[in-house]
Amino acid sequence: MEDEDNLSTSSAEVKENRNVGNLEDHPISSSDRSRVGTPSIKRKRPLEEGNNGHFCKLQLIWKKVSWSVTPKNALVQLHELKPGLQYKMVSQTGPVHAPVFAVAVEVNGLTFEGTGPTKKKAKMRAAELALKSFVQFPNACQAHFAMGNCFNPSTDFTSDQADFPDTLFKEFEPSAHSEDFSVYNPVNNELLSTAYRHGRLLCHTLDLMGHAKQNKHKMASTAESEKNPVVLLNELRSGLRYVCLSETVEKQHIKSFVMAVRVDGRTFEGSGRSKKLAKGQAAQAALQALFNIRLPSHIPSRSKCNHLPQEFADSIYQMVTQKFQELTDNFTSIHARHKTLAGIVMTRGLDIRQAQVIVLSSGTKCINGEYINDQGRVVNDCHAEILARRAFVHFLYSQLELHLSKRREDWERSVFVRLKEGGYRLKENILFHLYVSTSPCGDARLNSPYEITTDLNSTKHIVRKYRGHLRTKIESGEGTIPVRCHNAVQTWDGVLLGEQLVTMSCTDKIARWNVLGLQGALLSYFIEPTYLHSIIVGSLCHTGHLSRVMSHRIEDIGQLPASYRHNQLLLSGVSNAEVRQPGKSPSFSVNWIVGNTDPEVINATTGKRTCGGSSRLCKHTFYVQWAKLYGKLSTRMPSHGDMPSVYSEAKLVAQTYQAVKQQLFKAFQKAGLGTWVKKPPEQDQFLLTV
């Protein structure tokens, strides 16, 4: 382990590359040439015929640039902008063989914390985060460049090569053979001469590098260029910048990288064993999404896992926990006790500054079979993720009501816009992110760390046998079991006579949302499907397996109708996971929706509020809200008729939704993962009463 206890910025780090930008408007002196120490720049036959009379000058200029310009790392750049900063060691976590260090630095009154496998890397990360907070460019060099200072804008913190001063300009060094000069266009000499006369040489460095590389690619095999998605994307959209989002070490010290690139306002990510492969995956994702191009050699892997930027994921986690702390009087309320906490955050793009927590929930229990209700006045599943989704449905109803308001400021605040052909969809760039404090129950949790506590061999055998299988929750308890029954529908009298009420696991329900959307059957009559953009899991998270069970179990679902899709979630854990509370799970669940002052508390055993009344999240409440909207909006819809008077009939109005649902269930069966178990149909056969 490196000895990095002294976290103050060393003089060696600060003085690194101090001469950048100190180029002067005069030819290179003999002392300069001796310092370069390269025989090839001797002024031998400077105007020899065949060199076009200008390449030796170019050679001198390139040599001057090559020894004078060395890319700076974030630490050095931050020191130049904010000298005298103090870095503090915050914590050291993880096992001895794989520690994780956290280092913090205060800049402009804000504290930025970086983590890494060494103190040096953690310190570097903190510097990068600090730079991003006040420099509106990928790095400080580009900020100087924009302000008129001649700094090299080409520093790349995502390169596989940590330092590349000797290789940065190799492509500009002409070969000793005169025929190689033919690849250089004389126009560049004019550009260089003009820049050189005005002392602005380095401002054009990036353009020259791009031109030299372009000419080099022309000499390369055309077939090879066509196979490289990074090259192809660069031809379509030049000047793109790739950013490394994460670098992880898996078993047997195998590294995995996640790279991202922003094209036409959209961010695309890719993962691989090297940054080069990850860049290729990101470029391929952009090519496919924007230009409908898929290269044969870059078909996505089944094990591909899309990651959310870690800083963004941590911010979502902090917002949800802080809101829950606020609602429970700094966790002093009796209802602050929980095993699982969930929340949905709304953002405009990935701008965390405009993020808003819209729903919160807690809980890990389901209703007892004896309390099942045929009037739609109970909540069957009080797990936190499920309540969060039901609270989100309540939020969508309120947003539709807001859009129908006669006040301009109200409908402008709504997240919906009206479609010309009828119905509504979300405004552009509105994204929703689900945070769950622990892996969702079901198959996603079976392969999480620290979850296997019984006999290792036998447990692994069972997990392997039922991997990816549909699972159901245990009534009045915790945990799940694989779906085994052949009958997909439970019976009302059977449950009342003592049969356990079966509820599908949270993992399977989230997988269902990734195809059908979060809005449910009723709202599908009015709005297009609404999908989650990402899931952030606090603990017991195995993002690779989570990705498989959420997305890859039903890859062969087939073609879906317009506006429906097989949603590919971005996934992430958090840097500092929430500590799981010891003891038994509470028998209550809490839910909160933006616009409401106080949270609602539900008795998870009975499915009703602790006072005995119906929850705002029960089926009957949603049916009443839907009926009100139906009266206002049905004439604006493409197909409308008399309002159904029975809840089960109202759900069938959304015919496309019902067809996609059956397509999803068949896909599970076709994949050999089991049959989706439905509740007794009697619970949906209630009349509308206000």
Side-chain angles (χ1 to χ4, degrees), residues 144-145 148-153 195 199-207:
H144 283 296
F145 173 60
N149 300 329
C150 294
F151 280 79
N152 174 27
R200 306 283 294 192
L201 174 63
L202 292 178
C203 293
H204 297 280
T205 303
L206 192 60
D207 294 332

Side-chain angles (χ1 to χ4, degrees), residues 221-383:
S221 167
T222 305
E224 283 298 315
S225 297
E226 290 177 351
K227 292 179 182 179
N228 190 331
V230 177
V231 173
L232 182 56
L233 182 61
N234 187 59
E235 291 175 358
L236 296 169
R237 295 287 188 274
S238 60
L240 298 175
R241 183 177 181 80
Y242 292 81
V243 178
C244 184
L245 300 182
S246 70
E247 176 181 342
T248 57
V249 179
E250 300 175 359
K251 293 181 179 179
Q252 299 176 346
H253 306 289
I254 299 174
K255 285 190 175 182
S256 177
F257 299 90
V258 177
M259 303 293 291
V261 62
R262 190 166 180 83
V263 189
D264 295 349
R266 295 175 61 183
T267 301
F268 301 93
E269 299 180 9
S271 60
R273 297 302 184 190
S274 68
K275 291 181 181 177
K276 182 178 180 180
L277 292 175
K279 285 181 181 179
Q281 290 283 5
Q284 176 58 64
L287 288 170
Q288 184 177 346
L290 300 177
F291 307 103
N292 198 26
I293 298 173
R294 172 174 287 192
L295 303 181
S297 59
H298 288 85
I299 297 174
S301 167
R302 288 177 63 90
S303 60
K304 179 183 175 184
C305 175
N306 296 320
H307 290 263
L308 193 68
Q310 190 60 59
E311 297 86 354
F312 185 87
D314 289 343
S315 298
I316 296 293
Y317 155 67
Q318 290 166 6
M319 289 184 66
V320 171
T321 52
Q322 287 171 6
K323 188 65 182 180
F324 190 69
Q325 180 180 7
E326 173 190 325
L327 292 171
T328 55
D329 299 325
N330 199 26
F331 302 123
T332 59
S333 167
I334 187 175
H335 297 125
R337 190 163 61 93
H338 66 277
K339 279 284 189 179
T340 302
L341 176 67
I344 296 178
V345 175
M346 179 175 68
T347 64
R348 271 72 176 176
L350 290 181
D351 186 358
I352 200 66
R353 294 170 298 180
Q354 299 187 52
Q356 180 185 20
V357 181
I358 54 174
V359 300
L360 278 177
S361 59
S362 67
T364 56
K365 301 281 189 180
C366 290
I367 189 174
N368 278 9
E370 61 184 290
Y371 294 102
I372 192 171
N373 186 274
D374 60 0
Q375 297 299 313
R377 295 185 180 275
V378 299
V379 178
N380 293 324
D381 191 341
C382 287
H383 281 230

Side-chain angles (χ1 to χ4, degrees), residues 539-559:
S539 63
L540 297 180
C541 176
H542 188 298
T543 53
H545 181 65
L546 193 61
S547 175
R548 286 191 293 274
V549 298
M550 296 300 177
S551 303
H552 301 303
R553 288 192 295 175
I554 48 174
E555 283 184 325
D556 299 329
I557 189 172
Q559 186 70 30

Side-chain angles (χ1 to χ4, degrees), residues 2 83 147 167 217 263 342 430 453 507 526-527 596 614:
E2 299 174 343
M147 292 184 290
T167 61
H217 289 314
V263 189
I430 296 289
T453 56
T507 295
F526 302 120
I527 67 175
N596 294 268
S614 299

Side-chain angles (χ1 to χ4, degrees), residues 604-667:
T605 302
T606 64
K608 292 188 175 183
R609 288 185 294 164
T610 50
C611 64
S614 299
S615 167
R616 59 190 171 195
L617 305 184
C618 70
K619 295 180 179 184
H620 187 274
T621 301
F622 287 165
Y623 191 17
V624 171
Q625 291 176 303
W626 181 84
K628 290 179 180 178
L629 286 174
Y630 191 91
K632 297 177 182 178
L633 298 175
S634 60
T635 55
R636 305 182 188 180
M637 304 303 294
S639 59
H640 66 278
D642 295 335
M643 187 180 67
S645 58
V646 180
Y647 178 75
S648 58
E649 295 175 359
K651 292 174 71 174
L652 295 176
V653 170
Q655 297 178 1
T656 305
Y657 178 92
Q658 296 296 336
V660 174
K661 183 172 71 171
Q662 295 306 316
Q663 190 174 344
L664 171 67
F665 292 166
K666 289 178 181 177

Side-chain angles (χ1 to χ4, degrees), residues 146-163:
M147 292 184 290
N149 300 329
C150 294
F151 280 79
N152 174 27
S154 61
T155 305
D156 183 7
F157 293 121
T158 72
S159 173
D160 285 328
Q161 190 170 347
D163 270 317

Side-chain angles (χ1 to χ4, degrees), residues 92-110:
Q92 176 180 344
T93 58
V96 177
H97 66 280
V100 178
F101 297 93
V103 174
V105 61
E106 185 174 332
V107 183
N108 296 334
L110 299 174

